[in-house]
Amino acid sequence: LEPISDLLATVNRTFNFSAADDGVTLADTLLPDDGRSELISPSNFAGMTFDAPSGTLTIDLGQGSDSLTVDSVDSLYTGNVTAIGGTGVGMPDTEIDTLIGSEGVEVIIVNSDNAGTMTNGALTTTFSGFETIDGRGGADDFTIDPGVTLSGNVSGGDGDDTFVINGTVGGNLDGGAGGPGLVGIGRH
C-alpha cells in the first residue's frame, strides 16, 4: 500500500476505521514544526500524512479489538484529539480496545467508565470506549475516579508510575519495568 497525503486545511478532521482489529499510531511526521502529523495503520494503509486541523482530530476505531498509540503530534498542533474505542457487539463485550501512551510522561485520568483524558505535555486526548490503558514509557500518573470502572488492564510501562485507584480495575494492574515498583493508593 502506498502512503496517502491529505494537506487540506480543515477545522475538524475525522478518521473512521473498520470493524476489523486495527492497530493505529498517531505520530509527528519526520519533519518537526511543519504542521503535519501522521496516522499509521499497517493493516489499512502505509501511512496518512495530514495537516493538523485547527479544531478537533477524531479517531474512531469502530468495532473490533483495536489499539491506538498516541505517540505525538506536530508541535504546531494546538487542537484537541478525541479517541473513540468501541462498544463491542456481543454481550458480554469480548472486544478489547487499548489506548497506548508515548515514551514520555502521561497524566491519565479515568473519570467515566472506560473513558477519560490522557495528557502528554500540551496534548490532551479525550478518550472513550477503551477497556485497557498502557502508559508505555515515562513516569506516568494514573487516576481512576471513585465509582468508575476500567474494565480491562492498566499497565504503567517503563518508568516510575503512580496509581491512584479509587474506582475499579476489572483486569490486571501492572506497574511495569524500570521503576522501583508499584506505587499507589486505593483499591483494585
Side-chain angles (χ1 to χ4, degrees), residues 1 16 23 37-38 51 67-68 73 77 129 148-149 154 162 175 181 187:
L1 299 174
N16 294 305
S37 294
E38 181 177 34
D51 276 352
S67 68
L68 173 62
V73 293
Y77 181 59
V148 171
T149 297
V154 176
T162 302
R187 68 175 200 250

Side-chain angles (χ1 to χ4, degrees), residues 83-87 93 95-97 99 109-117 126-133 144 147-154 168-171:
I84 303 167
T87 56
D93 182 1
E95 298 172 348
I96 304 298
D97 296 302
L99 181 64
I109 300 171
V110 180
N111 53 21
S112 184
D113 289 351
N114 298 328
T117 59
T126 301
F127 65 89
S128 63
F130 286 90
E131 294 86 1
T132 295
I133 300 176
I144 299 180
V148 171
T149 297
L150 185 72
S151 60
N153 301 322
V154 176
T168 302
V169 175

Side-chain angles (χ1 to χ4, degrees), residues 166-179:
N166 291 309
T168 302
V169 175
N172 296 319
L173 182 60
D174 180 5

Side-chain angles (χ1 to χ4, degrees), residues 71 103 107 116 150 158 165:
D71 199 32
E103 290 295 336
V107 175
L150 185 72
D158 293 340
I165 310 296

Side-chain angles (χ1 to χ4, degrees), residues 159-161 176-183:
D160 296 338
D161 305 305
L182 184 64
V183 177

